[in-house]
Amino acid sequence: EVLYAGNDGGFFVSPDAGATWSDSPNEGLCLLQYEVIDSHPTTDGFVQGGTQDNGTQQYRNSPVHHHGADGDGGSCTVSKVNGAHVTHSYYGNAVERSTTGGAFGTYTDVSAGLDGDGVFYPPSAVSPTSDRMAWGTTVVNIDAAQGSGGWPGAGVALPGLVGRISALSFTSDALLWCATTSGQVYRLTRTGSAWTVRALHGPPLPTGQWIWDVAGVPGDDATVVVAFSGFGLADHVWQGEVPAAGAAAWTPASTGLP
């Protein structure tokens, strides 16, 4: 009467022909596929992460992770000014927010007003000095309160966009980097409530290839780093130096990486 079952959530055993199941065999196994993680501003004992088909998990300084939400787990953010303010998402434009650290059942939907059609797990990012949050689709949606303030309903358009937004990152509350599924890179700067967009891609940066991540350099508004996914590239990591006008000056930065 002992049954064993395996799926994308792990390995399970039933001692009574399926009447009850135990997940105890999973202890110590690393089975979850994480899509995105974000860290707490003041402690290394808290990390929020979305997992494929297994919801949103939290590392709380224990090998047993805390389950925060069911379903698909996509991109997530942890406020850098109040670590109790966290967001998680499912797939598509479905994002929720908790103001109590992301305990199960404490999330409320903050998707209303999101504009555009994104990748399966649209990327998100949060400012280092406020709850300002960006959500990427075919436009950049930006709200000053992690979505709870109300998305504007019409995102910031990216000139010449091909594909969809695949990565976002704030360097400051007024500087946002954006990358796409076709190898494009943009710099968004804020003056008051208005955002100005500038395209930075250009030779020798590869084209037609998915950029998996983008990041600025803290304290340096003129340097950006992107990481490409996929096969067939001699260099997957590139650094861009941003001049006063025009595209960035791109150089490969993958030398020595495995």
Side-chain angles (χ1 to χ4, degrees):
E1 294 185 347
V2 177
L3 298 179
Y4 301 93
N7 56 40
D8 62 359
F11 177 64
F12 303 87
V13 60
S14 172
D16 47 20
T20 61
W21 292 90
S22 169
D23 63 356
S24 59
N26 290 296
E27 184 174 354
L29 296 178
C30 299
L31 300 172
L32 298 178
Q33 178 183 331
Y34 275 88
E35 299 295 334
V36 178
I37 62 172
D38 197 15
S39 59
H40 194 278
T42 60
T43 177
D44 60 3
F46 181 99
V47 177
Q48 172 108 324
T51 66
Q52 171 71 38
D53 286 337
N54 286 283
T56 297
Q57 313 294 330
Q58 291 178 352
Y59 168 73
R60 294 183 175 180
N61 209 26
S62 166
V64 179
H65 288 195
H66 172 81
H67 184 73
D70 293 332
D72 280 283
S75 64
C76 57
T77 67
V78 181
S79 169
K80 304 310 179 226
V81 295
N82 186 336
H85 295 174
V86 300
T87 67
H88 87 98
S89 61
Y90 300 104
Y91 61 88
N93 287 341
V95 57
E96 296 183 330
R97 182 175 187 252
S98 168
T99 59
T100 56
F104 190 89
T106 66
Y107 286 97
T108 58
D109 182 80
V110 290
S111 303
L114 284 172
D115 183 26
D117 180 25
V119 296
F120 189 79
Y121 294 125
S124 60
V126 69
S127 164
T129 57
S130 78
D131 276 355
R132 192 179 310 280
M133 178 176 164
W135 180 270
T137 56
T138 47
V139 295
V140 183
N141 298 270
I142 303 173
D143 176 66
Q146 275 186 316
S148 65
W151 302 100
V156 180
L158 304 179
L161 173 68
V162 177
R164 293 177 172 87
I165 296 168
S166 56
L168 293 165
S169 177
F170 281 95
T171 291
S172 71
D173 201 42
L175 176 56
L176 174 66
W177 307 97
C178 176
T180 76
T181 58
S182 62
Q184 296 170 302
V185 185
Y186 296 87
R187 184 176 188 255
L188 285 71
T189 53
R190 181 178 60 85
T191 303
S193 60
W195 289 88
T196 300
V197 182
R198 178 177 163 192
L200 301 178
H201 42 277
L205 191 71
T207 60
Q209 196 100 357
W210 189 303
I211 295 179
W212 192 249
D213 205 1
V214 60
V217 176
D220 181 356
D221 290 354
T223 302
V224 61
V225 178
V226 298
F228 285 86
S229 67
F231 299 97
L233 293 180
D235 295 284
H236 283 80
V237 182
W238 289 75
Q239 179 173 309
E241 298 300 329
V242 182
W250 294 99
T251 56
S254 298
T255 303
L257 294 177

